Amino acid sequence: MAPFDAIVVGAGPAGVMAARSLAGKRVLILDVGRQPDSLPDLAGDLYSLRQSQPDLFDLLIGKDFDSLHNLHNEPLSLKLKAPLMRYIVDDARSLAPVRSQNFNATMSFAAGGLANAWGAGVYRFTARDLEGFPVGKPELEPFYDELTEHMGVSGANDDLTPSFGNDPALQPPIELSRFASDLQTGYQRKRALFARLGVSIGRTRLAVLTRPHRGRPPYNYGNFEFFRPHDPSVYNPVYTLRELIRAGHVRYEPQHLVLRFAQSADDVTVTTRNLQTGAHEVFESRTLILAAGALNSAKLVLESNNDHETRLPLLDNPMTCLPLFRPNRIGQALDTYDSSLGQLILIHEFQGTVLQGSVYGTAGPLRSDILFELPFSITANLAWLRRTAAATGLLMMFYPADPHPDNYLQLATDGALELRYGQPVTKGPARGVGEKALIPALRKIGFYTAAALCQYPPMGSGIHYAGTLPMREKPGRYELYPDGRLHGSQNIYVVDGACFPRLPAKNLTLTIMANAMRIASRLRHRIL
Amino acid sequence: MSCDSPQPRLKNLPPGHSDQTALLETEARYLHGCFFGNSAPDDVINRYVTANILCCPAPGSLTDTIVARRLDAEAVELFLRWRNKDSRILTKKIRIIFYLVEVRSEYYPAFFGKAVHNETRFRAALGLLSALPQTAWKYLKGAYLVHTNRLSENGPV
């Protein structure tokens, strides 16, 4: 068989968008491609279901007690442990063993990758965010526009427009919970106060539909995000993958774990392990595009170079979690029409650094997941949760991340990835400092919290892995040219978060996709 | 959604697990009664047994003592939880009960209140503030029970 024009490794956001941009070429996507079991057809919202159905054990806990995972295993994100969500990370550690110090790594071998459980936040990088990148905003802008149209993005051009860009194609934003609505109203009343602090608050931009778009329905506020994947109103790269397969634009081969590649002057050979047969298989292509995620793309490069010595940089956004309390809402019934998606965004320009926070409600996870986070007796905790259901939210802040020699990834001789993370490194303020500065202003609009309540999730919890094979104007070994090509290679490209030389405090998925499209679009014209 | 859930199944249950079943069933009934008063549904009891084999494979002699001596599990748990912030067997067992009942509609009011019920802010605030003396009482009671029964995480000393 003639070699393919391009092999894409991975079918997450980067891989799928790269493949889409290569339409017209002979493209093979190699993927492990885990899929969910058959999904129940759930009408209405989760809370109505919880009242009307006598027993939701199968959906919420699972026959294998999946939701109890964190009681006897290393903790998983609450969004990844429900029975129907487990396919997203199941087998990841056996397919890609990891040994880590101070870094909670989450990986996915599902079709669609970790976007099967993402919060769908999509934020354009500004010129300031792209400082240190060998790519400018004008180069990414057309692809941001294309993605907005392709996925459908809801939000608003508001006080956050300077941070996210003006986007005339936005659908109306999702409806706010009462809690979030109070916060927005309070901010608008005290806008000048917040401006003096360098704070702007506005609507989230989400790859979530509020109007029908390209055959997908609008969001129905069902609150199933923690328990059921593939809500058609929430964009998932799997939808694009299916379109590409149906249109015959790609050949998709799931059940293949890519082990290594080897390049010659004219082509690349890729060796996989067929997970059904156990056999090794070899595929040939003129070009190889790595989109296996920052950790696994780096692993493939090191493995293919038989390199167990080199340490590659590792980045993730440090994050904090600050509960917010709105006394005016105590005693009110849970806002069951609430969405567990991000409600509002807070941009905080602080000590020369831009921090980004998202405000969430607490309607998403099981109550038993958070019952023991409170310090009282169990009965009192339960009563607190009941009475404060409509009065509590969470502010999750991201900090920027820059490379540091203490934060790295290395390939061990037994094939495991070793991840080491020292101190979370940011050129700006340390975690918690920005939040402290916010507390007085929040109090003035009726939202209360305390610095002592700020939680610091372990590094890796942000799941914004990046920087392992960074783009540079003048790359060295294991770095990329601005066109995504791996230094020292003729025909190997990297399009996922590995590319990013640093991380601003902003969800990066939209820029990963736009950059993948940029790289693949240029490549398409070079493949004759 | 189906109301009739088949018996929970697990891969690779350890040998001898059936020996623990009777103990765990008694434990489930007792712990459920400590928090919810009424008798536990059979499904909850059965699932508790299986979940414990999965999550708490070492037999809990502390819990056995609490059940045998009819002690206030909530008070003991609070005292031990405050004393040592690491996840503990008794806390884990109680959490299992809460996970298993939360998914049942009859327990919805316990977790979420009545569907459209709004308490007045004053009443709700009183309820929140009462958590402090209630917790203080439970802590002191827990300290007393742990001391007089010479309890530790591993059972009676």
Side-chain angles (χ1 to χ4, degrees):
Chain A
M1 180 191 266
F4 290 92
D5 292 324
I7 289 177
V8 177
V9 178
V16 166
M17 286 305 163
R20 180 175 175 273
S21 299
L22 288 167
K25 302 300 174 186
R26 290 184 64 239
V27 177
L28 169 67
I29 301 178
L30 293 170
D31 192 27
V32 171
R34 295 283 187 241
Q35 297 274 6
D37 293 334
S38 63
L39 297 174
D41 189 18
L42 300 170
D45 71 271
L46 176 63
Y47 288 89
S48 301
L49 208 61
R50 291 177 87 158
Q51 292 172 73
S52 65
Q53 293 294 320
D55 186 357
L56 288 175
F57 176 81
D58 285 356
L59 175 67
L60 301 182
I61 304 288
K63 296 186 181 71
D64 291 327
F65 295 86
D66 305 275
S67 284
L68 272 55
H69 178 276
N70 291 358
L71 292 185
H72 62 111
N73 289 294
E74 259 194 57
L76 259 184
S77 160
L78 298 184
K79 228 179 178 186
L80 292 172
K81 66 181 182 67
L84 291 177
M85 307 292 277
R86 290 301 300 275
Y87 76 97
I88 300 170
V89 296
D90 261 357
D91 295 343
R93 287 300 176 104
S94 61
L95 292 172
V98 166
R99 286 192 290 270
S100 58
Q101 208 168 62
N102 301 326
F103 194 86
N104 276 14
T106 301
M107 288 186 285
S108 174
F109 287 89
L114 286 168
N116 282 279
W118 70 329
V122 286
Y123 306 104
R124 301 184 181 211
F125 277 20
T126 61
R128 185 175 178 182
D129 294 328
L130 290 166
E131 280 172 11
F133 285 65
V135 176
K137 190 160 152 49
E139 295 168 77
L140 292 174
E141 206 67 27
F143 301 107
Y144 283 144
D145 291 339
E146 192 175 332
L147 282 163
T148 300
E149 199 288 326
H150 179 72
M151 297 190 294
V153 175
S154 56
N157 293 301
D158 56 14
D159 287 7
L160 299 184
T161 299
S163 300
F164 302 146
N166 187 61
D167 191 341
L170 291 174
Q171 295 191 353
I174 60 169
E175 289 185 31
L176 290 177
S177 66
R178 289 174 301 204
F179 179 93
S181 186
D182 288 352
L183 182 57
Q184 185 187 42
T185 303
Y187 160 76
Q188 287 167 345
R189 274 192 296 108
K190 295 281 188 185
R191 191 182 259 113
L193 165 68
F194 281 92
R196 283 196 294 277
L197 289 172
V199 174
S200 307
I201 296 177
R203 307 306 297 276
T204 45
R205 292 197 186 178
L206 301 171
V208 175
L209 302 178
T210 52
R211 290 194 181 134
H213 184 70
R214 299 180 78 243
R216 290 162 45 219
Y219 187 61
N220 70 353
Y221 302 86
N223 244 313
F224 289 110
E225 287 78 35
F226 277 68
F227 300 104
R228 185 191 61 182
H230 293 194
D231 181 328
S233 66
V234 180
Y235 178 75
N236 187 316
V238 158
Y239 309 149
T240 305
L241 178 63
R242 288 179 192 149
E243 285 176 19
L244 294 174
I245 294 169
R246 267 198 307 269
H249 289 318
V250 302
R251 176 174 145 188
Y252 176 65
E253 289 286 343
Q255 299 286 339
H256 281 270
L257 177 69
V258 174
L259 299 175
R260 69 186 70 83
F261 58 84
Q263 55 179 324
S264 64
D266 297 323
D267 59 23
V268 187
T269 53
V270 178
T271 304
T272 75
R273 186 170 87 231
N274 185 317
L275 296 175
Q276 279 186 315
T277 64
H280 285 195
E281 297 186 26
V282 175
F283 299 87
E284 282 187 12
S285 175
R286 297 166 62 189
T287 312
L288 176 63
I289 297 175
L290 297 178
L295 302 182
N296 282 315
S297 288
K299 181 181 177 182
L300 278 172
V301 170
L302 291 174
E303 189 73 70
S304 303
N305 284 277
N306 208 28
D307 187 336
H308 303 282
E309 301 294 326
T310 302
R311 295 176 176 184
L312 298 180
L314 177 60
L315 298 175
D316 187 27
N317 288 117
M319 56 184 289
T320 62
C321 189
L322 187 68
L324 301 177
F325 184 58
R326 173 85 171 137
N328 277 13
R329 293 274 179 201
I330 59 171
Q332 291 184 0
L334 177 72
D335 197 342
T336 60
Y337 208 65
D338 194 359
S339 160
S340 52
L341 299 167
Q343 296 277 305
L344 295 171
I345 292 289
L346 181 151
I347 298 288
H348 189 190
E349 183 125 15
F350 183 69
Q351 295 181 359
T353 301
V354 178
L355 311 178
Q356 178 167 318
S358 297
V359 175
Y360 293 92
T362 57
L366 292 170
R367 278 294 179 267
S368 302
D369 281 331
I370 54 182
L371 183 62
F372 289 78
E373 298 297 316
L374 296 173
F376 308 119
S377 68
I378 297 170
T379 308
N381 281 352
L382 193 58
W384 256 76
L385 286 183
R386 217 167 39 236
R387 291 193 163 99
T388 60
T392 310
L394 291 172
L395 172 63
M396 299 180 76
M397 297 285 290
F398 285 127
Y399 283 65
D402 292 280
H404 189 278
D406 287 348
N407 308 335
Y408 62 88
L409 164 162
Q410 191 172 15
L411 183 65
T413 50
D414 62 357
L417 263 183
E418 297 197 340
L419 309 176
R420 295 286 182 270
Y421 222 91
Q423 293 298 319
V425 175
T426 172
K427 287 184 178 156
R431 285 195 290 178
V433 178
E435 289 78 351
K436 250 189 188 163
L438 287 173
I439 289 170
L442 290 169
R443 199 180 303 135
K444 283 202 158 54
I445 60 170
F447 286 81
Y448 293 83
T449 185
L453 297 176
C454 194
Q455 294 184 6
Y456 302 89
M459 287 306 301
S461 302
I463 320 184
H464 289 175
Y465 310 147
T468 52
L469 300 164
M471 287 189 295
R472 306 272 186 225
E473 284 292 351
K474 293 184 180 157
R477 196 176 187 216
Y478 299 130
E479 294 181 337
L480 310 175
Y481 290 93
D483 67 355
R485 183 166 55 93
L486 183 65
H487 179 269
S489 79
Q490 295 302 316
N491 41 17
I492 296 169
Y493 293 77
V494 182
V495 299
D496 54 36
C499 290
F500 286 36
R502 60 178 300 275
L503 276 179
K506 190 176 270 186
N507 308 58
L508 73 174
T509 306
L510 184 70
T511 303
I512 285 177
M513 290 195 279
N515 190 49
M517 293 165 75
R518 178 189 69 87
I519 292 171
S521 298
R522 290 174 72 165
L523 196 54
R524 183 167 175 273
H525 295 298
R526 285 195 220 127
I527 298 174
L528 297 173
Chain B
M1 291 298 296
S2 166
C3 302
D4 298 320
S5 185
Q7 284 300 306
R9 53 170 174 80
L10 277 176
K11 303 170 225 185
N12 306 322
L13 286 175
H17 73 273
S18 56
D19 300 337
Q20 301 175 42
T21 300
L23 278 172
L24 289 170
E25 286 174 350
T26 306
E27 194 174 281
R29 288 191 188 92
Y30 185 76
L31 290 178
H32 180 277
C34 284
F35 295 98
F36 300 101
N38 51 349
S39 48
D42 287 343
D43 269 344
V44 171
I45 294 172
N46 293 337
R47 290 167 182 163
Y48 179 85
V49 171
T50 314
N52 263 268
I53 292 166
L54 175 67
C55 301
C56 309
S61 56
L62 169 65
T63 327
D64 293 344
T65 307
I66 287 171
V67 173
R69 299 181 190 179
R70 317 297 285 176
L71 303 178
D72 185 338
E74 183 178 12
V76 173
E77 187 277 336
L78 177 66
F79 178 77
L80 292 176
R81 176 165 30 109
W82 276 26
R83 196 169 67 172
N84 191 329
K85 288 192 171 27
D86 290 340
S87 180
R88 292 303 184 186
I89 298 283
L90 178 59
T91 304
K92 214 183 269 195
K93 284 174 176 285
I94 294 171
R95 286 188 80 166
I96 291 172
I97 289 284
F98 274 77
Y99 273 113
L100 295 177
V101 301
E102 182 182 347
V103 301
R104 302 177 72 89
S105 57
E106 71 222 69
Y107 295 85
Y108 186 93
F111 285 83
F112 301 100
K114 292 181 185 157
V116 292
H117 172 71
N118 285 343
E119 266 184 316
T120 64
R121 222 183 298 163
F122 176 73
R123 231 185 118 106
L126 273 184
L128 293 179
L129 288 171
S130 71
L132 296 170
Q134 186 186 29
T135 297
W137 160 243
K138 283 285 182 181
Y139 182 83
L140 291 171
K141 185 178 180 187
Y144 172 78
L145 291 174
V146 166
H147 178 72
T148 54
N149 289 274
R150 304 179 71 187
L151 299 177
S152 75
E153 270 297 325
N154 301 318
V157 172

